[in-house]
Amino acid sequence: MELPSAPQKWFASRLQRLRVSSGSPTQAQLLAHDKTKVLTRSSLSDLLTGKFTKPPPWERVAAYVGACVRAADTGRIALALEEELSRLRADHATLTDLLETADPKPRAPAPHCLDSSTSRLPPRNPHFTGRNALLRELRRRLTSGRGAVVQAVHGLGGAGKTQLAVEYAYRYRSQYRFVAFVDAEHPNLVLPQFASLAQELGLAEVPFEQVVPRVYDALRGHSPWLVILDNGDRAGPLVNVLPSGDAEGSGHVVVTTRSRGWSSRAGVVDLDVFTRRESMELLDRRVDGITPAVADRIAEHLGDLPLALEQAAGYMDYNHTPPEDYLALLASRLEDMIALGELADRPTVVVATLWQLSVRRLETERPQAKQLLELCSLLAPEPIPLDLFSGSADIWGATVADPVAWDTTVGALAGLGLARRDLSCLVLHRLVQAAIRSSMPDVVRSETRARLCRALLRAVPHDIHGVPDARSRWQILLPHVVMLTRDEPPSECAAETALLLRLAAVYLLSIGDHEVALPLCERALAIDESLEDRDVEIGFDLITLAQIHRERGTVMLARPPAERALSLHQSCLPSGSTAIATDLATLARILCELGDHEAAVPLAERALRIDEAAYGQDDPYVSFDLIALATVYLDINDPSAAAPLIYRALRIREARYAPDHLYIGYALLLKARVMYALGDPSGAGLAYRGALILNTQLGRAHAKTENAFTLAAGLLERCGHDERQSGELGRSR
């Protein structure tokens, strides 16, 4: 998009963009949709071609917006009138500023507007996007009080707090007689800026200790006034530069801050990152040729952080990088890319260094909080359960034992705006994590990763089938396991990384997500095979790999790893080991599916004997052996032998798992097949129940769910079952 060096052309392009969004109506259609009849053919043509020397009347622009929205409505295109009016009003205000800057002749103030002056106010951002509701809310809060009102805008670094405050100043500048901008990032430099304000307000020599009250006293004669304290991250030192409670006159103070701690002195507006729509709108405005799909994915990688999106647009503009190529760089080199790309109005600001001052504060004031930040930076940008760390006494020592010390350690990250604290979790923005990772020395990164591996191994359930809440716990921790293990592991935690990968694969296998489980298991096997004395672990990797291949339907690929796993475990484990039972049962099912039933039966029977001796008659692991053996018997057309096995397996699972557990669904489907083979028509109802469980747990699109519904429908049809239930089945499909 062209920068507004030619304001008329820039504004005309804004109007044309709205016209395209509304379905590109003709001029005749726009005139027909102008209910107020403000527009004429010539005035509309002048608007759309930029043929004006002074800002066109807002009434004419508003009439054009209304016509576009009505045209969009006739074409069933969703546009919100208030939103489009607000956006064009901001653009119209920017146009007015640009034309006034270009015109050296003084202008009389507009009716109902105050003659305002400004001090150090940064230039208006011509690419300011969205935030209209927040600007209105900020205005409402500031004007709802009497006297001097203080309002803080709190948010993550890079969320656009300064840009919001500056846009507010320009948008409502006509409502103030004096507007001042004070850089409050370094508290010791704030008083000299107030001394400069004193001179601008015509005050004579003022003692340094009196400069703040004297400035506010002088501002009484310039009411209403606006003072912006930008980057006021240390509330304590800035309290003395706020207006006193008995200040006369009407004035507003807006503080932008990353830190908590302002609520006792000011109202607080929380500024979040962009919505995805706002992110895509900014990229569309700034980057030529970008498609909605690419804009969406770039915004996702950048976590919708406004500064990062501006930086990305600047990078693509300067380097003429195609958006698709930039997306590929983000996907593979995020930590490098957040240091590249320049903002025209803030050339020294990049995402990579955005949080350095906060991290330095942690280093000096709360070093253990910095350590916690480093740990969190290697995890996924998802909620991080705090008990992952609080249960690791070897990492934290006495800090965990002292609840106050631990709470303040966690609170320091939230207080400085580096993380959001939700109940028992911390949430870090993905770019905060990337910035911390990029600044970590390799040695620190390796040590931190090793500590996290050990912490995660303690936190994840190893017994997927036996621990009651294993699935819910894994659902929370899986993103962090995947993130931590995505790169090649340092030698000090290679074995732990392989184990985490395999456990994650077993969990994914248990919920039917074979496609994600497969590469994780293959990586676990590769790591274990690169280490010494890992035969037992290699066997576990191999049998998990065989199970994944069998579940995926690639049975021919499942047999070699299953046979190798059995051979390895038989060579290094006692003959009664339950690991050998798992190998035997898995291989039996594979051989059965390959048609070698004669070899499968003794393997499945031996597996059952081993697990019954190890676990007892009613353990969930025994149910797997029972189902394996029942499947073999069913496949060799011996349903009478299969029936007691599957009935017993289902009883075990119903006693140990929730009614809608996936394992119960599988057992119901197998029991339905056995009952049908025995001539019992009621098996169709069990198949229907099993299909509904799979539908709930795996989703309707999953192949196993589809097969389950097909089985249930077939049994219903063949058994002539209840027509009403058949109708319900058809609707659920």
Side-chain angles (χ1 to χ4, degrees), residues 487-537:
D487 300 323
E488 287 304 307
S491 58
E492 57 264 43
C493 65
E496 290 91 342
T497 299
L499 179 53
L500 278 173
L501 285 165
R502 185 178 72 244
L503 291 173
V506 171
Y507 162 69
L508 289 164
L509 178 63
S510 76
I511 62 171
D513 197 344
H514 316 126
E515 301 308 314
V516 178
L518 180 60
L520 299 185
C521 188
E522 289 175 335
R523 286 196 58 223
L525 177 59
I527 293 171
D528 275 329
E529 287 184 324
S530 70
L531 303 174
E532 296 181 356
D533 301 323
R534 298 286 288 177
D535 283 357
V536 173
E537 300 300 322

Short mmCIF file of all heavy atoms in Angstrom, two decimals, residues 487-537:
data_model
loop_
_atom_site.label_atom_id
_atom_site.label_comp_id
_atom_site.label_asym_id
_atom_site.label_seq_id
_atom_site.Cartn_x
_atom_site.Cartn_y
_atom_site.Cartn_z
N ASP A 487 13.39 -30.73 18.82
CA ASP A 487 14.76 -30.64 18.30
C ASP A 487 15.58 -31.82 18.79
O ASP A 487 15.20 -32.53 19.73
CB ASP A 487 15.42 -29.33 18.76
CG ASP A 487 14.66 -28.10 18.28
OD1 ASP A 487 14.15 -28.14 17.14
OD2 ASP A 487 14.58 -27.12 19.04
N GLU A 488 16.74 -32.02 18.16
CA GLU A 488 17.63 -33.08 18.61
C GLU A 488 18.06 -32.81 20.06
O GLU A 488 18.44 -31.69 20.40
CB GLU A 488 18.86 -33.17 17.71
CG GLU A 488 18.56 -33.76 16.35
CD GLU A 488 17.91 -35.13 16.45
OE1 GLU A 488 18.48 -36.00 17.14
OE2 GLU A 488 16.84 -35.33 15.85
N PRO A 489 17.99 -33.81 20.91
CA PRO A 489 18.25 -33.57 22.33
C PRO A 489 19.74 -33.47 22.65
O PRO A 489 20.57 -34.11 22.00
CB PRO A 489 17.64 -34.81 23.00
CG PRO A 489 17.80 -35.88 21.97
CD PRO A 489 17.62 -35.21 20.64
N PRO A 490 20.10 -32.66 23.65
CA PRO A 490 21.48 -32.70 24.15
C PRO A 490 21.74 -34.06 24.79
O PRO A 490 20.82 -34.76 25.22
CB PRO A 490 21.52 -31.57 25.18
CG PRO A 490 20.10 -31.29 25.53
CD PRO A 490 19.27 -31.68 24.36
N SER A 491 22.99 -34.44 24.84
CA SER A 491 23.36 -35.79 25.30
C SER A 491 22.88 -36.06 26.72
O SER A 491 22.50 -37.20 27.05
CB SER A 491 24.87 -35.97 25.23
OG SER A 491 25.54 -34.99 26.00
N GLU A 492 22.86 -35.02 27.57
CA GLU A 492 22.50 -35.26 28.97
C GLU A 492 21.04 -35.61 29.17
O GLU A 492 20.65 -36.05 30.26
CB GLU A 492 22.88 -34.05 29.84
CG GLU A 492 22.26 -32.73 29.43
CD GLU A 492 23.20 -31.91 28.56
OE1 GLU A 492 23.84 -32.49 27.67
OE2 GLU A 492 23.28 -30.69 28.78
N CYS A 493 20.19 -35.41 28.17
CA CYS A 493 18.78 -35.80 28.33
C CYS A 493 18.26 -36.57 27.12
O CYS A 493 17.05 -36.58 26.87
CB CYS A 493 17.91 -34.58 28.62
SG CYS A 493 17.81 -33.38 27.29
N ALA A 494 19.14 -37.22 26.38
CA ALA A 494 18.70 -37.97 25.19
C ALA A 494 17.79 -39.12 25.58
O ALA A 494 16.74 -39.35 24.96
CB ALA A 494 19.92 -38.48 24.42
N ALA A 495 18.16 -39.89 26.62
CA ALA A 495 17.35 -41.04 27.03
C ALA A 495 15.98 -40.58 27.51
O ALA A 495 14.95 -41.19 27.19
CB ALA A 495 18.07 -41.82 28.12
N GLU A 496 15.95 -39.48 28.30
CA GLU A 496 14.67 -38.97 28.79
C GLU A 496 13.80 -38.47 27.63
O GLU A 496 12.57 -38.65 27.65
CB GLU A 496 14.90 -37.83 29.78
CG GLU A 496 15.49 -38.26 31.11
CD GLU A 496 17.02 -38.22 31.09
OE1 GLU A 496 17.61 -38.19 29.97
OE2 GLU A 496 17.62 -38.21 32.18
N THR A 497 14.43 -37.85 26.63
CA THR A 497 13.68 -37.38 25.46
C THR A 497 13.04 -38.54 24.72
O THR A 497 11.86 -38.48 24.32
CB THR A 497 14.60 -36.59 24.52
OG1 THR A 497 15.13 -35.45 25.21
CG2 THR A 497 13.84 -36.12 23.28
N ALA A 498 13.79 -39.62 24.53
CA ALA A 498 13.25 -40.79 23.84
C ALA A 498 12.06 -41.36 24.60
O ALA A 498 11.04 -41.73 24.00
CB ALA A 498 14.34 -41.85 23.66
N LEU A 499 12.17 -41.43 25.93
CA LEU A 499 11.07 -41.97 26.72
C LEU A 499 9.83 -41.07 26.63
O LEU A 499 8.70 -41.56 26.49
CB LEU A 499 11.51 -42.12 28.18
CG LEU A 499 10.46 -42.66 29.16
CD1 LEU A 499 9.85 -43.96 28.67
CD2 LEU A 499 11.08 -42.84 30.55
N LEU A 500 10.02 -39.75 26.70
CA LEU A 500 8.89 -38.84 26.56
C LEU A 500 8.21 -39.00 25.20
O LEU A 500 6.97 -39.00 25.10
CB LEU A 500 9.36 -37.39 26.72
CG LEU A 500 9.52 -36.86 28.15
CD1 LEU A 500 10.15 -35.47 28.13
CD2 LEU A 500 8.17 -36.80 28.86
N LEU A 501 9.00 -39.15 24.16
CA LEU A 501 8.44 -39.32 22.82
C LEU A 501 7.60 -40.59 22.73
O LEU A 501 6.51 -40.60 22.16
CB LEU A 501 9.56 -39.34 21.78
CG LEU A 501 10.20 -37.98 21.45
CD1 LEU A 501 11.51 -38.17 20.70
CD2 LEU A 501 9.25 -37.13 20.62
N ARG A 502 8.14 -41.69 23.30
CA ARG A 502 7.40 -42.94 23.22
C ARG A 502 6.12 -42.88 24.05
O ARG A 502 5.06 -43.34 23.63
CB ARG A 502 8.25 -44.11 23.68
CG ARG A 502 7.53 -45.45 23.47
CD ARG A 502 8.33 -46.65 23.87
NE ARG A 502 8.48 -46.79 25.30
CZ ARG A 502 9.64 -46.72 25.95
NH1 ARG A 502 10.76 -46.49 25.29
NH2 ARG A 502 9.70 -46.84 27.26
N LEU A 503 6.20 -42.32 25.25
CA LEU A 503 5.00 -42.20 26.08
C LEU A 503 3.93 -41.35 25.39
O LEU A 503 2.74 -41.65 25.45
CB LEU A 503 5.35 -41.59 27.44
CG LEU A 503 6.19 -42.48 28.38
CD1 LEU A 503 6.61 -41.69 29.61
CD2 LEU A 503 5.40 -43.72 28.79
N ALA A 504 4.36 -40.27 24.73
CA ALA A 504 3.42 -39.44 23.99
C ALA A 504 2.79 -40.23 22.86
O ALA A 504 1.58 -40.12 22.60
CB ALA A 504 4.13 -38.20 23.45
N ALA A 505 3.59 -41.06 22.18
CA ALA A 505 3.06 -41.88 21.10
C ALA A 505 2.04 -42.89 21.62
O ALA A 505 1.01 -43.14 20.99
CB ALA A 505 4.20 -42.60 20.37
N VAL A 506 2.31 -43.47 22.79
CA VAL A 506 1.36 -44.43 23.39
C VAL A 506 0.05 -43.73 23.73
O VAL A 506 -1.05 -44.27 23.49
CB VAL A 506 1.98 -45.09 24.63
CG1 VAL A 506 0.94 -45.93 25.37
CG2 VAL A 506 3.18 -45.96 24.24
N TYR A 507 0.13 -42.53 24.28
CA TYR A 507 -1.09 -41.78 24.59
C TYR A 507 -1.88 -41.48 23.31
O TYR A 507 -3.10 -41.69 23.24
CB TYR A 507 -0.75 -40.48 25.31
CG TYR A 507 -1.89 -39.48 25.26
CD1 TYR A 507 -3.07 -39.70 25.96
CD2 TYR A 507 -1.78 -38.32 24.47
CE1 TYR A 507 -4.13 -38.79 25.89
CE2 TYR A 507 -2.83 -37.42 24.40
CZ TYR A 507 -3.99 -37.66 25.10
OH TYR A 507 -5.03 -36.77 25.02
N LEU A 508 -1.19 -41.00 22.28
CA LEU A 508 -1.87 -40.68 21.03
C LEU A 508 -2.48 -41.92 20.40
O LEU A 508 -3.57 -41.87 19.82
CB LEU A 508 -0.88 -40.02 20.06
CG LEU A 508 -0.45 -38.60 20.44
CD1 LEU A 508 0.80 -38.18 19.69
CD2 LEU A 508 -1.58 -37.62 20.17
N LEU A 509 -1.79 -43.05 20.53
CA LEU A 509 -2.35 -44.31 20.04
C LEU A 509 -3.63 -44.65 20.80
O LEU A 509 -4.60 -45.13 20.22
CB LEU A 509 -1.31 -45.43 20.21
CG LEU A 509 -1.72 -46.84 19.79
CD1 LEU A 509 -2.03 -46.89 18.30
CD2 LEU A 509 -0.63 -47.84 20.14
N SER A 510 -3.65 -44.36 22.10
CA SER A 510 -4.83 -44.71 22.92
C SER A 510 -6.05 -43.89 22.54
O SER A 510 -7.18 -44.32 22.79
CB SER A 510 -4.51 -44.52 24.40
OG SER A 510 -4.52 -43.14 24.76
N ILE A 511 -5.85 -42.69 21.96
CA ILE A 511 -7.00 -41.88 21.55
C ILE A 511 -7.22 -41.94 20.04
O ILE A 511 -8.01 -41.18 19.49
CB ILE A 511 -6.84 -40.41 22.00
CG1 ILE A 511 -5.61 -39.76 21.35
CG2 ILE A 511 -6.78 -40.31 23.51
CD1 ILE A 511 -5.53 -38.26 21.59
N GLY A 512 -6.48 -42.84 19.37
CA GLY A 512 -6.70 -43.06 17.95
C GLY A 512 -6.02 -42.09 17.02
O GLY A 512 -6.34 -42.06 15.82
N ASP A 513 -5.09 -41.27 17.50
CA ASP A 513 -4.39 -40.31 16.64
C ASP A 513 -3.09 -40.93 16.14
O ASP A 513 -1.99 -40.59 16.57
CB ASP A 513 -4.11 -39.01 17.40
CG ASP A 513 -3.78 -37.85 16.47
OD1 ASP A 513 -3.47 -38.11 15.30
OD2 ASP A 513 -3.84 -36.70 16.93
N HIS A 514 -3.21 -41.84 15.18
CA HIS A 514 -2.05 -42.62 14.74
C HIS A 514 -1.07 -41.79 13.91
O HIS A 514 0.14 -42.03 13.97
CB HIS A 514 -2.53 -43.81 13.89
CG HIS A 514 -3.70 -44.51 14.48
ND1 HIS A 514 -4.87 -44.73 13.77
CD2 HIS A 514 -3.93 -45.00 15.72
CE1 HIS A 514 -5.74 -45.35 14.54
NE2 HIS A 514 -5.20 -45.52 15.73
N GLU A 515 -1.59 -40.84 13.15
CA GLU A 515 -0.72 -40.09 12.25
C GLU A 515 0.27 -39.21 13.02
O GLU A 515 1.39 -39.00 12.57
CB GLU A 515 -1.55 -39.23 11.29
CG GLU A 515 -2.53 -40.03 10.44
CD GLU A 515 -1.84 -41.18 9.70
OE1 GLU A 515 -0.77 -40.95 9.12
OE2 GLU A 515 -2.38 -42.30 9.73
N VAL A 516 -0.15 -38.68 14.14
CA VAL A 516 0.77 -37.88 14.96
C VAL A 516 1.67 -38.80 15.79
O VAL A 516 2.84 -38.50 16.03
CB VAL A 516 -0.01 -36.92 15.87
CG1 VAL A 516 0.93 -36.11 16.76
CG2 VAL A 516 -0.86 -35.98 15.03
N ALA A 517 1.13 -39.95 16.21
CA ALA A 517 1.90 -40.87 17.04
C ALA A 517 3.10 -41.45 16.28
O ALA A 517 4.17 -41.66 16.86
CB ALA A 517 1.01 -42.01 17.54
N LEU A 518 2.92 -41.73 14.99
CA LEU A 518 3.95 -42.43 14.21
C LEU A 518 5.30 -41.71 14.20
O LEU A 518 6.32 -42.31 14.56
CB LEU A 518 3.45 -42.68 12.79
CG LEU A 518 4.42 -43.42 11.86
CD1 LEU A 518 4.77 -44.79 12.42
CD2 LEU A 518 3.82 -43.55 10.46
N PRO A 519 5.38 -40.43 13.80
CA PRO A 519 6.70 -39.78 13.78
C PRO A 519 7.33 -39.65 15.16
O PRO A 519 8.56 -39.68 15.28
CB PRO A 519 6.42 -38.42 13.14
CG PRO A 519 4.96 -38.19 13.30
CD PRO A 519 4.33 -39.53 13.26
N LEU A 520 6.51 -39.48 16.20
CA LEU A 520 7.07 -39.40 17.55
C LEU A 520 7.73 -40.71 17.94
O LEU A 520 8.84 -40.74 18.50
CB LEU A 520 5.97 -39.04 18.56
CG LEU A 520 5.26 -37.69 18.38
CD1 LEU A 520 4.30 -37.44 19.54
CD2 LEU A 520 6.24 -36.55 18.24
N CYS A 521 7.05 -41.81 17.65
CA CYS A 521 7.61 -43.12 17.98
C CYS A 521 8.86 -43.41 17.16
O CYS A 521 9.84 -43.97 17.67
CB CYS A 521 6.55 -44.19 17.75
SG CYS A 521 7.04 -45.81 18.35
N GLU A 522 8.86 -43.04 15.90
CA GLU A 522 10.04 -43.26 15.05
C GLU A 522 11.24 -42.47 15.56
O GLU A 522 12.37 -42.96 15.54
CB GLU A 522 9.71 -42.86 13.61
CG GLU A 522 8.76 -43.83 12.93
CD GLU A 522 8.34 -43.37 11.55
OE1 GLU A 522 8.37 -42.14 11.28
OE2 GLU A 522 7.96 -44.22 10.72
N ARG A 523 11.00 -41.25 16.07
CA ARG A 523 12.10 -40.46 16.64
C ARG A 523 12.61 -41.09 17.93
O ARG A 523 13.82 -41.11 18.19
CB ARG A 523 11.65 -39.02 16.90
CG ARG A 523 11.52 -38.19 15.63
CD ARG A 523 11.44 -36.71 15.94
NE ARG A 523 12.61 -36.29 16.67
CZ ARG A 523 12.60 -35.48 17.73
NH1 ARG A 523 11.45 -35.02 18.20
NH2 ARG A 523 13.71 -35.13 18.33
N ALA A 524 11.69 -41.60 18.75
CA ALA A 524 12.11 -42.28 19.99
C ALA A 524 13.02 -43.46 19.66
O ALA A 524 14.07 -43.66 20.30
CB ALA A 524 10.88 -42.75 20.77
N LEU A 525 12.63 -44.26 18.68
CA LEU A 525 13.43 -45.42 18.28
C LEU A 525 14.80 -44.99 17.77
O LEU A 525 15.83 -45.58 18.13
CB LEU A 525 12.68 -46.20 17.20
CG LEU A 525 13.41 -47.42 16.62
CD1 LEU A 525 13.73 -48.43 17.71
CD2 LEU A 525 12.56 -48.06 15.51
N ALA A 526 14.84 -43.94 16.96
CA ALA A 526 16.12 -43.47 16.42
C ALA A 526 17.06 -43.01 17.53
O ALA A 526 18.27 -43.28 17.50
CB ALA A 526 15.88 -42.35 15.41
N ILE A 527 16.51 -42.29 18.52
CA ILE A 527 17.35 -41.80 19.63
C ILE A 527 17.86 -42.98 20.45
O ILE A 527 19.05 -43.06 20.77
CB ILE A 527 16.56 -40.82 20.52
CG1 ILE A 527 16.25 -39.54 19.74
CG2 ILE A 527 17.36 -40.48 21.78
CD1 ILE A 527 15.29 -38.60 20.45
N ASP A 528 16.97 -43.92 20.80
CA ASP A 528 17.39 -45.06 21.60
C ASP A 528 18.43 -45.91 20.88
O ASP A 528 19.36 -46.44 21.50
CB ASP A 528 16.17 -45.92 21.98
CG ASP A 528 15.46 -45.40 23.22
OD1 ASP A 528 16.14 -44.82 24.09
OD2 ASP A 528 14.23 -45.55 23.31
N GLU A 529 18.28 -46.07 19.58
CA GLU A 529 19.26 -46.87 18.82
C GLU A 529 20.61 -46.19 18.73
O GLU A 529 21.61 -46.84 18.46
CB GLU A 529 18.71 -47.18 17.43
CG GLU A 529 17.58 -48.22 17.45
CD GLU A 529 17.12 -48.60 16.06
OE1 GLU A 529 17.09 -47.70 15.18
OE2 GLU A 529 16.79 -49.78 15.84
N SER A 530 20.66 -44.88 18.96
CA SER A 530 21.95 -44.16 18.93
C SER A 530 22.68 -44.24 20.27
O SER A 530 23.83 -43.82 20.37
CB SER A 530 21.72 -42.69 18.57
OG SER A 530 21.07 -41.99 19.63
N LEU A 531 22.00 -44.76 21.30
CA LEU A 531 22.58 -44.85 22.64
C LEU A 531 23.00 -46.28 22.94
O LEU A 531 22.54 -47.23 22.29
CB LEU A 531 21.57 -44.36 23.68
CG LEU A 531 21.02 -42.93 23.49
CD1 LEU A 531 19.93 -42.64 24.50
CD2 LEU A 531 22.13 -41.90 23.58
N GLU A 532 23.84 -46.45 23.94
CA GLU A 532 24.31 -47.78 24.33
C GLU A 532 23.40 -48.37 25.41
O GLU A 532 22.77 -47.65 26.19
CB GLU A 532 25.74 -47.70 24.85
CG GLU A 532 26.76 -47.25 23.80
CD GLU A 532 28.18 -47.20 24.37
OE1 GLU A 532 28.34 -47.44 25.58
OE2 GLU A 532 29.11 -46.91 23.60
N ASP A 533 23.36 -49.71 25.44
CA ASP A 533 22.64 -50.46 26.48
C ASP A 533 21.17 -50.04 26.57
O ASP A 533 20.63 -49.77 27.65
CB ASP A 533 23.32 -50.26 27.85
CG ASP A 533 24.76 -50.73 27.84
OD1 ASP A 533 25.04 -51.74 27.18
OD2 ASP A 533 25.59 -50.06 28.48
N ARG A 534 20.50 -50.01 25.43
CA ARG A 534 19.09 -49.60 25.41
C ARG A 534 18.20 -50.67 24.80
O ARG A 534 17.12 -50.37 24.27
CB ARG A 534 18.94 -48.29 24.62
CG ARG A 534 19.69 -47.11 25.19
CD ARG A 534 19.05 -46.56 26.42
NE ARG A 534 17.81 -45.86 26.15
CZ ARG A 534 17.04 -45.34 27.10
NH1 ARG A 534 17.36 -45.48 28.37
NH2 ARG A 534 15.92 -44.70 26.78
N ASP A 535 18.60 -51.95 24.88
CA ASP A 535 17.83 -53.00 24.21
C ASP A 535 16.39 -53.07 24.72
O ASP A 535 15.46 -53.25 23.94
CB ASP A 535 18.52 -54.36 24.39
CG ASP A 535 19.72 -54.52 23.48
OD1 ASP A 535 19.96 -53.59 22.67
OD2 ASP A 535 20.42 -55.55 23.57
N VAL A 536 16.20 -52.97 26.04
CA VAL A 536 14.84 -53.05 26.58
C VAL A 536 14.00 -51.89 26.04
O VAL A 536 12.85 -52.09 25.59
CB VAL A 536 14.87 -53.03 28.12
CG1 VAL A 536 13.45 -52.95 28.67
CG2 VAL A 536 15.57 -54.27 28.65
N GLU A 537 14.55 -50.66 26.07
CA GLU A 537 13.81 -49.49 25.59
C GLU A 537 13.56 -49.59 24.10
O GLU A 537 12.48 -49.20 23.61
CB GLU A 537 14.58 -48.21 25.93
CG GLU A 537 14.82 -47.98 27.41
CD GLU A 537 13.52 -47.90 28.20
OE1 GLU A 537 12.54 -47.33 27.68
OE2 GLU A 537 13.47 -48.43 29.32
#
